[in-house]
Amino acid sequence: MRILINAGPTREKIDPVRFISNRSSGKMGYSLAEAAVALGHTVTLVSGPVCLARPEGLHKFLSIESAEEMARVMKEEFPSCDLAILCAAVADYRPVHPRGQKMKKGEGNLFLELERTEDIALSLGKMKKPGQTLVGFAAETEDLEKNALSKMRKKNFDFIAANQVGLPDRGFASNDNAVTLYRADGTKKELSLKSKKELAGELLQEILR
Ligand code: C5P
């Protein structure tokens, strides 16, 4: 099976030395890519800037920085995959006017105008053809189930893996995670707290079942 996975954060440029980003480490997406390679699948990994070794045995590794680049690469790669898993923490906003030169500090406050980035998952959900499976992630600090289910519907996902963030023992930079995997048919599977590597194997097994 041809599997496309995105991982890590994006960086949205403010000036040549500053950017807006988030706490995504890329560990969940990289673990999924490794697990998929180990199962013998043809895996393309599209990655934002992370401090992780590139998994061995990938079909393709594409490195991107901004949400705009991530959107372009994902829309190019999506039509030729059977399964796409969207683990990347794509920035929702970017500076409207990134500066060409380093900004100088002044005395007063600074206001940055931000604009929405493309919701890549939403775009891929609209492109999805019969036979393709689209899996999203939802990181929430509250109302996990309600938010996850509404995202799955809105973005035309077949599955959504929902995890609670803001807890010290799981999520973002942690090596461990726990998720609830919801299917579009309304059923769900709880995957308890474990290493992201183990969790990746279980998640793939459930998705490919
Ligand atoms: O709406 P929210 O960002 O919480 O949805 C999370 C899901 O949507 C994740 O699978 C994430 O990779 C994807 N996403 C995206 N493009 C964005 C924002 C989120 O693909 N701009």
Side-chain angles (χ1 to χ4, degrees):
M1 191 178 260
R2 296 164 302 172
I3 303 182
L4 173 65
I5 299 172
N6 70 5
T10 65
R11 286 181 179 173
E12 309 307 322
K13 187 178 165 195
I14 297 172
D15 72 13
V17 299
R18 304 182 178 96
F19 55 80
I20 294 175
S21 192
N22 59 64
R23 298 170 69 94
S24 170
S25 65
K27 284 175 191 162
M28 193 67 240
Y30 274 57
S31 298
L32 280 163
E34 280 164 8
V37 168
L39 289 171
H41 297 288
T42 303
V43 182
T44 295
L45 178 61
V46 182
S47 178
V50 297
C51 299
L52 298 172
R54 182 189 304 191
E56 281 175 32
L58 291 174
H59 169 62
K60 247 194 227 180
F61 178 82
L62 299 162
S63 167
I64 60 87
E65 197 146 299
S66 65
E68 191 178 11
E69 288 167 2
M70 175 71 89
R72 181 172 45 73
V73 171
M74 290 301 287
K75 286 189 284 188
E76 267 167 29
E77 295 296 325
F78 184 65
S80 55
C81 79
D82 306 301
L83 164 67
I85 308 179
L86 308 178
C87 267
V90 182
D92 293 320
Y93 295 90
R94 67 168 160 244
V96 179
H97 304 293
R99 310 292 169 90
Q101 304 299 327
K102 185 182 170 193
M103 287 167 66
K104 297 286 176 212
K105 60 175 139 335
E107 287 305 315
N109 295 344
L110 170 71
F111 296 89
L112 273 180
E113 192 184 349
L114 305 178
E115 64 187 359
R116 280 292 307 272
T117 57
E118 178 173 347
D119 189 325
I120 301 165
L122 190 70
S123 303
L124 300 184
K126 288 179 183 153
M127 289 167 65
K128 193 173 76 173
K129 296 271 186 323
Q132 284 189 304
T133 302
L134 189 58
V135 182
F137 271 72
E140 303 290 343
T141 55
E142 56 190 1
D143 289 333
L144 188 59
E145 177 160 310
K146 186 166 150 268
N147 285 318
L149 292 177
S150 90
K151 273 172 204 182
M152 176 157 61
R153 272 191 293 273
K154 181 176 167 211
K155 305 192 190 203
N156 197 19
F157 290 156
D158 301 285
F159 297 84
I160 193 161
N163 62 299
Q164 189 89 37
V165 290
L167 301 174
D169 62 346
R170 63 192 70 182
F172 281 120
S174 171
N175 285 322
D176 296 339
N177 205 5
V179 304
T180 306
L181 183 68
Y182 297 93
R183 293 188 186 82
D185 70 5
T187 59
K188 67 175 177 181
K189 171 96 182 174
E190 306 273 355
L191 302 174
S192 62
L193 189 65
K194 52 181 66 73
S195 76
K196 286 180 180 172
K197 287 202 187 302
E198 287 174 86
L199 190 65
E202 289 186 15
L203 265 173
L204 266 185
Q205 205 183 339
E206 282 298 321
I207 292 164
L208 298 172
R209 200 148 59 89

